[in-house]
Amino acid sequence: MSNRILDHIGIAVRSLEERVPFYRDTMGLALVGYEDIAEQKVRVAILQAGESTIELLEPTSEDSPVAKFIHKRGEGVHHLAFKVEGIDALLQQMDQGGLSLIDRCPRDGAHGKRIAFIHPKATGGVLTELCE
Ligand code: CMX
């Protein structure tokens, strides 16, 4: 198996404006930029942390999965994302193995990546993303 790296950690926040200063100014992470991901109903701030990034996720509508998460559990770590190669084949393999997938086919994520989520119920409570 290839040496998979942690692509990013997603953190749900109520307000990017309120939370970016901690990561950028206090922790000293470079702010890579902001992006609207309409399909996911979030606006993200991306901060570089070594080879990985931190994605702060602010919901842009009340029916965003991140708005639901914050409403239920408060702000905090929302998902882990691993960089993979051959995401389509990997998803097919996981699906055939009986893993509970949120996405059987990849969808569009930040930075032009193709992403898919594995349900937290199947992973011990951690929403897990594959991205390519
Ligand atoms: N981490 C861990 N558990 C989570 C979770 C998360 N991020 N989000 C929801 N859950 C848990 C809930 O607490 C709940 O658990 P209980 O049944 O024990 O209460 C259960 O999963 C179901 O949650 P829900 O509030 O009823 O929400 P839904 O079932 O409607 O949706 C999920 C949950 C994970 C399927 C949905 O949030 C989803 O599809 N997420 C993937 C998409 C996403 O999060 N996009 C934003 C990120 C964008 C990006 O990075 O590009």
Side-chain angles (χ1 to χ4, degrees):
M1 191 169 281
S2 61
N3 182 20
R4 293 211 171 114
I5 70 161
L6 186 66
D7 184 80
H8 66 265
I9 298 174
I11 299 176
V13 302
R14 287 194 180 85
S15 154
L16 294 180
E17 196 187 356
E18 186 188 350
R19 296 299 174 199
V20 162
F22 168 73
Y23 293 94
R24 183 191 55 202
D25 306 332
T26 308
M27 299 308 295
L29 305 184
L31 178 62
V32 178
Y34 291 91
E35 199 171 325
D36 266 302
I37 310 174
E39 201 203 344
Q40 302 285 323
K41 297 179 179 158
V42 290
R43 184 161 177 261
V44 305
I46 299 168
L47 296 117
Q48 198 69 44
E51 273 193 69
S52 304
T53 58
I54 305 276
E55 274 187 9
L56 303 183
L57 309 154
E58 177 192 86
T60 52
S61 97
E62 268 305 305
D63 61 345
S64 160
V66 174
K68 280 177 83 176
F69 177 89
I70 292 173
H71 184 67
K72 210 164 185 179
R73 305 162 67 125
E75 292 181 298
V77 174
H78 179 264
H79 67 268
L80 297 185
F82 295 92
K83 193 174 280 180
V84 302
E85 283 172 20
I87 190 168
D88 301 270
L90 193 57
L91 286 170
Q92 200 181 348
Q93 192 184 317
M94 288 176 170
D95 192 31
Q96 281 166 1
L99 199 70
S100 173
L101 301 175
I102 294 167
D103 306 296
R104 286 203 173 88
C105 297
R107 45 172 144 164
D108 296 331
H111 267 332
K113 290 173 192 160
R114 297 171 71 227
I115 66 169
F117 288 94
I118 303 170
H119 203 283
K121 296 281 184 205
T123 64
V126 179
L127 178 61
T128 302
E129 178 185 329
L130 309 177
C131 64
E132 179 166 41

